[in-house]
């Protein structure tokens, strides 16, 4: 029995063409658990997940209902998305348990991720979030809410927030004990709620943390045997999107690092996954895999996808 951390990508809840209703997301999540049920049966599994579209919708609800209820800060919206996705994943998991003979219970853990208040990302926010606004509304928001906004050609203005490096997981012991007691933790959703150390404890900050980097950190803290990133492509490609694209099936951390440094992987998508896998493989000497959710069983066994060691 191995300890395996599985990070679900956006496609575990929503796919192109899906509406974002609760029921659609529940259906996708159920499909995702169907694919990894065998792995959960034979191993100790920790699930983490993204929250991009869900927190985007919560932010939109926040902004459009301002006249009725007070908007909540971004970190609180992150917390709401963890609760929402936690419910969807727990309900989906429960619905496949009986069929697959799974006795293990899922436990959703609201997770806070510690970031450094002096992280350079706070001086240079770069991550766009939430809806697009026209110039006038953007000016108003910059003045009244002190938001930083950036124009995207032909689309309008969008809020940009810092994406600092995850340093620690506040609920690390809770997750560890939950796993050791035989539960399947569902945690660190959306990379965790970003917090900084304060005099009395921790304080939420308006930022977003990359879910793959936070998952990698948790995988190292929990000393898992394998770190798995499930997404919507078959693995990491060289020259992705070009006629000469080529799937990397097995690569050493050292060689992958060279490819990353050459600028092969874009910052917004495959870059952080590669970095997350590299951080894990380098510091533990164990394997990380990146592959498609649709082939989850084979990816986790290292039979397909990109294996980094
Ligand atoms: P997730 O939502 O699963 O966390 P992302 O959508 O952020 O994942 O990233 C996955 C996407 O990265 C793929 O759908 C693909 O379009 C894109 N991508 C960019 N570069 C590469 C690459 N070199 N190899 C594979 N996929 C890549
Ligand atoms: Mg995605």
């Amino acid at each position: 029995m191995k300890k395996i951390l599985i990070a679900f990508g956006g496609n575990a809840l929503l796919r192109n063409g899906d509406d974002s209703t609760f029921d659609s997301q529940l259906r996708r999540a159920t499909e995702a658990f169907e694919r990894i049920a065998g792995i959960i049966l034979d191993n100790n599994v920790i699930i983490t997940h993204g929250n991009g579209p869900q927190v985007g919708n919560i932010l939109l609800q926040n902004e459009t209902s301002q006249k009725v209820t007070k908007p909540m800060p971004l970190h609180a919206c992150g917390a709401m998305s963890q609760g929402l996705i936690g419910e969807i994943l727990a309900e989906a998991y429960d619905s496949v348990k009986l069929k697959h003979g799974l006795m293990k219970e899922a436990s959703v853990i609201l997770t806070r991720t510690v970031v450094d208040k002096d992280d350079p990302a706070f001086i240079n926010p770069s991550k766009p979030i939430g809806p697009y606004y026209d110039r006038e509304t953007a000016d108003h928001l910059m003045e009244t809410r002190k938001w930083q906004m950036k124009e995207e050609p032909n689309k309008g203005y969008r809020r940009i927030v810092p994406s600092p490096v995850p340093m620690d997981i506040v609920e690390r012991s809770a997750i560890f004990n939950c796993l050791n007691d035989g539960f399947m933790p569902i945690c660190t959703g959306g990379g965790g709620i970003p917090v900084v150390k304060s005099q009395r404890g921790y304080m939420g900050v308006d930022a977003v943390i990359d879910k793959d980097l936070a998952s990698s950190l948790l995988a190292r803290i929990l000393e898992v045997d394998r770190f798995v990133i499930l997404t919507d492509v078959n693995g990491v490609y060289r020259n992705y999107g070009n006629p000469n694209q080529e799937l990397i099936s097995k690569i050493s951390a050292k060689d992958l690092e060279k490819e990353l440094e050459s600028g092969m992987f874009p910052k917004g998508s495959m870059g952080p996954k590669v970095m997350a896998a590299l951080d894990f493989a380098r510091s533990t000497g164990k394997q990380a895999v990146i592959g498609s959710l649709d082939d989850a069983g084979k990816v986790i066994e290292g039979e397909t996808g990109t294996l980094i060691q």
Side-chain angles (χ1 to χ4, degrees), residues 8-11 211-212 229-233 235-240 264-266 268-271 273:
F8 276 151
N11 64 332
K211 78 111 180 22
D212 295 306
I229 298 178
L230 295 179
T231 181
D232 59 1
V233 271
V236 186
Y237 287 82
R238 268 186 207 103
N239 307 312
Y240 182 70
M264 184 65 82
F265 313 114
S269 54
M270 197 42 76
K273 292 186 203 311

Side-chain angles (χ1 to χ4, degrees), residues 13-14 20 22 25 49-66 69-88 110 129-131 133 145 147 158-159 189-190 193:
L13 291 158
L14 282 171
S20 58
F22 186 91
Q25 299 192 57
H49 58 86
N51 73 343
Q54 292 80 12
V55 79
N57 285 341
I58 292 171
L59 287 166
L60 191 57
Q61 289 166 350
N62 218 21
E63 295 311 313
T64 50
S65 65
Q66 275 194 62
T69 57
K70 295 277 178 230
M72 288 294 132
L74 175 62
H75 54 83
C77 294
M80 290 184 218
S81 76
Q82 280 191 9
L84 168 68
I85 299 168
E87 186 200 356
I88 294 172
L110 188 92
I129 54 149
Y133 298 95
R145 307 274 285 276
W147 285 3
R158 211 164 170 212
R159 184 176 178 197
I193 303 154

